[in-house]
Amino acid sequence: MRSGRLNRVLLALAGLILLALGGSVLAVGLGVRPPSWWIHGGPHDVLLSHAERTHYRAADWWWPALIAALALLVLGALWWLTALLRRHRLAEIRVDTGDGAAVLRARALESALAEEAAMGSGVAHAQVRLRGRRKKPRARALLRLAPEVDPSTALAEFTTGPLAHARESAGLPSLPAEVRLGAVKHRPERVT
C-alpha cells in the first residue's frame, strides 16, 4: 500500500516538474517575456550555450562526477522498475507432505482463510492476502467488525481459529499475520 502511494507521488512530482519546464519553454517560444533569472531568455535562445556545455570539461572531477551521477540515476530507475514489477502477492506455497512436497495455491488458502474469518462472530467482512516466500508465507488480514464487537475478542478468535487452521492444514511451522481491524460503517441509532 505504501509503495503504491510513493509511486504515485514520485510520478506526480516528476510530471509536474516536466510540465512546468516544458510549459515555460513553450511560453517563451511563443513570445512571453521570461523573468531575468530564468535560464531560457527568448525564442531563439538555447538552454545551454557552447561555453556552458564545455565549461567544466577540462576539470579533473567533471567526468567522474558526471558518470557517478548518471550511474546513480540509472540504478535508481532500475530499482524503481524492479520494485514495480516485483510480485507482492504470493502465488503458491510449498507444503511438506512427508514423502515429498506439494504445491498449494495461495489464493485457495487466502479464500479459505477469509471465508472462515467472515464466519466469526461479529465479523462483517474479511479479506486476506499472503505475502513472503513459498516456504515462509506471511498473512495480511483486514477484518471489518460490527459496531458492538470487542476488537480483542475478534482478534483472539481469528488467531486461534482460521489462522491456526490454515497453519495446521498447510503444515507450516508458523504463519505470522498482520491483522488490521476496522469498523463497518453504520447508520446512527436514534434515541427517543
Side-chain angles (χ1 to χ4, degrees):
M1 287 185 219
R2 289 183 300 231
S3 65
R5 262 188 240 130
L6 177 67
N7 286 332
R8 285 191 294 271
V9 167
L10 288 175
L11 283 174
L13 192 62
L16 285 174
I17 290 170
L18 291 174
L19 184 67
L21 288 174
S24 67
V25 170
L26 179 64
V28 170
L30 292 174
V32 175
R33 286 197 47 89
S36 62
W37 50 267
W38 191 245
I39 59 172
H40 193 58
H44 302 292
D45 188 20
V46 292
L47 289 176
L48 293 173
S49 67
H50 180 71
E52 290 170 331
R53 287 192 314 262
T54 59
H55 179 71
Y56 294 112
R57 196 176 281 179
D60 292 339
W61 58 269
W62 172 247
W63 290 112
L66 181 65
I67 291 171
L70 291 175
L72 285 176
L73 185 68
V74 167
L75 288 176
L78 287 175
W79 171 79
W80 193 16
L81 180 64
T82 57
L84 287 174
L85 296 178
R86 188 175 342 146
R87 186 179 277 178
H88 295 287
R89 194 172 187 178
L90 194 61
E92 55 191 28
I93 298 170
R94 183 171 294 254
V95 179
D96 186 19
T97 60
D99 60 346
V103 176
L104 171 66
R105 296 261 181 227
R107 289 191 188 224
L109 188 58
E110 288 173 353
S111 64
L113 256 167
E115 285 177 21
E116 189 176 351
M119 287 189 284
S121 61
V123 178
H125 176 74
Q127 184 178 2
V128 179
R129 296 286 179 255
L130 292 175
R131 295 178 174 208
R133 290 180 278 155
R134 291 171 60 171
K135 292 184 179 180
K136 293 184 180 182
R138 297 182 327 264
R140 187 173 192 177
L142 172 65
L143 302 178
R144 296 279 180 207
L145 305 177
E148 69 276 356
V149 175
D150 179 30
S152 63
T153 305
L155 181 61
E157 285 182 11
F158 178 74
T159 56
T160 58
L163 197 61
H165 296 155
R167 187 185 72 244
E168 291 168 7
S169 65
L172 298 169
S174 69
L175 182 58
E178 175 187 333
V179 181
R180 294 180 180 218
L181 303 174
V184 174
K185 292 186 178 183
H186 61 92
R187 299 175 67 193
E189 296 180 16
R190 293 186 179 249
V191 179
T192 57

